[in-house]
Amino acid sequence: MSKNLIIIESPNKIASFSKYLGKDYRIMATVGHIFELSKKKLGVDLKNNYTEDIIAIKEKKNILNEICKEAEKAEKIYLMSDSDTEGCAISRQLYNNFNDKVKRKCKRATTNEITKSGIEKGIANAYSILDEEEKYQAYLTRRITDRIAGFKTSFITQQATGGTSAGRVQSAGLRVIAEREEEINKFIPVVYWPVEIDIKNNSNELVTALIKSPKPLDISCEADANKIISELKTSKIKVSDFQSKVEQSKPYPPFTTSTLMQAAASSLGMNSDKIMNAAQNLFASGKITYHRTDSVVIEPKGIADIRSYISSNLSANYSTPSALFYATKNASAQQAHEAIRPTNINDRKPVGLNSDEQKAYDLIWCRTVASQMSNAQYQRNSVEFTNGSSIFGATGSKELFDGWRKIYKYSTSSDKYLPEFKIGEEVSLIDTRTERKETQPPNRYTEASFIKFLENSGIGRPSTYKSIIKTLVDRTYIERNKMTLSATELGMKVNTFLVSNNFC
């Protein structure tokens, strides 16, 4: 019989825990939540201080019974579900179900990484589960609010619209996408005729410039554009302004859940389901730290390892004099975990990963290393050409030093050569162009831009971004069109009902 019982969430982690801890530990998994709010009536007594009615999930009763049997026999019990509010609730509700004898053997433990040192550190720093009372109450408050909002509005929403459900977070997410669809539907394009010119300087270098004054949108017909072109062909064009400066490009912070999902969508074409499944597998196999986080902080040892890797594998000018630290821009961030990073920065190409996991790991590894590297440097040039009352402009840049971009290849850099000019210099007109254009409606949200909006607006949490999109798709309120999200006719109908009745 094992002396110690460790209870975790995911059965995928059992092999790793067992390998690191040995025969004195029995590892069992809850396979997610074991308890839930009762679905009888509301599951919450609104007249009795919002007392919740928590019951065991029917399909999980066998798991609960097995855990309870092992808990009776164990000398020590470590409730080691994830350290976020969901994990806290899983452990706390299991603890509440135990008898007093078993409760006295329980300790709460957490780890940010499935490694030998991470697990052992978590056990060594185990604490009373009652120390997480505020976190547990936060979980209950959210679940009760979800239940009240969902149960109170879902039935009447279904009766009025045919929609299947409404909810505190999903309805807010739907409103964001539906309002963008309304903007697109109501959009009236504006016709304009921008003028573009090709010129050569005294060194015979060709530059393309776009009209700045009058503003392109103010050139509303072809006749106005042709008038500008006629003037260009009959009078001199001179350089009226030239600016050149060296700019620094700072590295991005390490990944949070939100920024990982955004980068995976824009750089890898991976939707929220794919990247979060890959990240879950990488975490469970001990390759990365916890993947549901809103923090950009890396622990000191992690930073030291990253900087050691940089100094050992890259030339000295890629290292910074001291460690770089980042602050989250999200005022509602809880920062309960580290940023997402590899657990072993020297493990550049882990074996045994599938295609999605390899892509996700490389993205995370590159972002993590780059976050401690020196700035990239660029020479930015801008020029203006004047002809009568018209002004044309062009810009360009040249990379002087790649810095952090040497490692992080996922960030686009728009290098476009622009030669130097002297103010007052006369240039030669080579060609002119104009064409009819129309202003375009706002873009539909991509998964990346939608998740960014949710984060900036305080809608949802790192653990729920993926499920918000999935729920809206499953309800047929929105559709995925490649990487964009659009509201369906049903989704628009549901949103109109919810907004007009002040439910959202």
Side-chain angles (χ1 to χ4, degrees):
M1 180 187 75
S2 300
K3 295 179 181 179
N4 306 294
L5 173 63
I6 293 187
I7 302 170
I8 60 178
E9 287 184 41
S10 171
N12 294 337
K13 303 175 190 174
I14 290 177
S16 295
F17 271 77
S18 299
K19 176 179 68 174
Y20 295 135
L21 294 177
K23 63 182 179 180
D24 285 340
Y25 289 83
R26 170 73 191 278
I27 319 298
M28 300 186 76
T30 64
V31 195
H33 283 273
I34 290 183
F35 298 89
E36 65 180 355
L37 286 176
S38 170
K39 293 182 180 178
K40 293 181 179 178
K41 296 184 178 179
L42 194 60
V44 181
D45 190 345
L46 301 181
K47 296 181 179 179
N48 185 22
N49 199 30
Y50 294 90
T51 303
E52 66 279 0
D53 180 17
I54 295 175
I55 62 171
I57 299 170
K58 184 178 178 181
E59 294 79 11
K60 296 290 187 69
K61 285 187 176 180
N62 288 338
I63 294 174
L64 177 60
N65 290 337
E66 289 299 315
I67 289 175
C68 287
K69 286 179 184 178
E70 290 298 319
E72 289 283 352
K73 297 183 285 185
E75 294 180 13
K76 292 181 181 179
I77 302 168
Y78 296 96
L79 300 168
M80 212 163 178
S81 51
D82 295 341
S83 58
D84 56 12
T85 53
E86 298 293 323
C88 167
I90 289 170
S91 287
R92 179 60 179 272
Q93 289 170 350
L94 189 58
Y95 172 87
N96 291 344
N97 181 77
F98 289 148
N99 60 43
D100 289 341
K101 176 185 174 183
V102 172
K103 283 180 179 177
R104 285 192 289 270
K105 298 187 283 185
C106 288
K107 286 283 188 180
R108 177 78 166 113
T110 62
T111 181
N112 193 47
E113 56 186 66
I114 310 303
T115 60
K116 182 175 176 62
S117 60
I119 295 169
E120 289 177 344
K121 181 180 178 181
I123 292 172
N125 294 319
Y127 52 91
S128 169
I129 193 167
L130 300 180
D131 291 346
E132 291 188 332
E133 180 64 21
E134 288 187 0
K135 186 184 288 188
Y136 181 57
Q137 290 301 323
Y139 165 82
L140 286 179
T141 300
R142 180 175 62 78
R143 286 296 295 122
I144 290 170
T145 305
D146 284 344
R147 181 59 63 88
I148 293 172
F151 271 47
K152 291 289 186 180
T153 59
S154 289
F155 178 75
I156 55 177
T157 299
Q158 185 176 11
Q159 296 301 305
T161 68
T164 52
S165 69
R168 177 180 62 89
V169 174
Q170 66 158 298
S171 296
L174 173 61
R175 181 171 181 174
V176 172
I177 295 173
E179 288 184 347
R180 176 57 57 86
E181 204 69 26
E182 288 176 0
E183 286 183 71
I184 294 171
N185 292 337
K186 294 177 181 177
F187 181 80
I188 299 175
V190 174
V191 175
Y192 65 106
W193 291 78
V195 178
E196 192 174 70
I197 62 173
D198 294 334
I199 63 95
K200 277 187 178 180
N201 63 6
N202 294 334
S203 300
N204 211 32
E205 295 172 296
L206 186 68
V207 171
T208 298
L210 181 66
I211 195 162
K212 293 177 66 176
S213 178
K215 295 178 181 178
L217 289 178
D218 291 338
I219 309 172
S220 57
C221 64
E222 187 176 13
D224 290 343
N226 286 333
K227 182 178 179 181
I228 294 170
I229 290 172
S230 295
E231 188 174 3
L232 284 165
K233 293 177 177 179
T234 57
S235 57
K236 295 179 180 180
I237 304 172
K238 291 186 177 182
V239 176
S240 55
D241 187 44
F242 178 75
Q243 302 286 335
S244 181
K245 57 184 177 180
V246 175
E247 294 183 352
Q248 306 281 332
S249 172
K250 296 180 179 179
Y252 296 127
F255 280 130
T256 62
T257 303
S258 169
T259 54
L260 173 62
M261 295 171 80
Q262 292 170 47
S266 58
S267 299
L268 303 177
M270 294 175 69
N271 64 32
S272 55
D273 289 336
K274 277 196 169 187
I275 186 59
M276 291 311 290
N277 288 340
Q280 171 65 48
N281 293 339
L282 290 172
F283 171 65
S285 61
K287 299 294 189 297
I288 63 170
T289 55
Y290 193 53
H291 56 294
R292 296 190 182 100
T293 177
D294 53 20
S295 174
V296 291
V297 174
I298 292 178
E299 68 173 15
K301 184 182 182 305
I303 290 179
D305 289 345
I306 297 164
R307 293 178 62 79
S308 175
Y309 179 91
I310 294 168
S311 61
S312 298
N313 292 275
L314 299 170
S315 58
N317 53 348
Y318 288 100
S319 298
T320 58
S322 58
L324 301 179
F325 298 96
Y326 300 89
T328 180
K329 296 179 181 179
N330 184 2
S332 64
Q334 296 178 2
Q335 302 190 74
H337 311 283
E338 278 190 84
I340 304 169
R341 63 170 176 86
T343 55
N344 179 6
I345 205 68
N346 294 304
D347 192 2
R348 182 66 184 89
K349 299 283 186 182
V351 297
L353 304 183
N354 65 33
S355 176
D356 285 348
E357 292 162 3
Q358 288 173 351
K359 292 176 184 177
Y361 183 86
D362 188 69
L363 182 66
I364 294 166
W365 187 93
C366 290
R367 179 80 163 230
T368 303
V369 174
S371 72
Q372 287 297 319
M373 292 176 65
S374 53
N375 294 347
Q377 294 182 7
Y378 296 86
Q379 181 178 321
R380 308 281 188 188
N381 292 349
S382 63
V383 64
E384 286 186 353
F385 306 105
T386 299
N387 169 260
S389 59
S390 301
I391 299 174
F392 292 78
T395 60
S397 65
K398 181 173 68 173
E399 184 179 84
L400 303 177
F401 174 61
D402 55 1
W404 59 276
R405 291 185 185 274
K406 182 177 183 64
I407 291 293
Y408 194 70
K409 303 294 187 181
Y410 296 96
S411 174
T412 56
S413 177
S414 54
D415 258 19
K416 177 184 173 185
Y417 175 70
L418 179 69
E420 293 190 0
F421 290 86
K422 293 180 180 179
I423 295 176
E425 175 184 351
E426 188 175 324
V427 296
S428 303
L429 180 67
I430 303 302
D431 195 13
T432 62
R433 289 177 296 280
T434 186
E435 62 176 327
R436 184 184 188 277
K437 289 190 175 183
E438 293 183 353
T439 55
Q440 298 299 306
N443 293 325
R444 289 188 171 90
Y445 285 101
T446 62
E447 290 202 16
S449 60
F450 180 59
I451 291 165
K452 185 175 183 179
F453 185 94
L454 295 179
E455 181 182 40
N456 292 340
S457 304
I459 300 172
R461 300 289 308 143
S463 59
T464 62
Y465 295 142
K466 170 186 167 183
S467 63
I468 292 170
I469 296 173
K470 185 177 186 303
T471 297
L472 293 174
V473 171
D474 289 347
R475 301 288 188 271
T476 66
Y477 292 168
I478 68 171
E479 291 178 334
R480 279 190 177 111
N481 305 294
K482 293 184 178 178
M483 294 302 291
T484 62
L485 305 172
S486 60
T488 63
E489 183 178 346
L490 176 60
M492 298 293 286
K493 186 176 181 181
V494 168
N495 181 67
T496 299
F497 173 77
L498 292 172
V499 172
S500 62
N501 288 279
N502 297 318
F503 291 147
C504 178

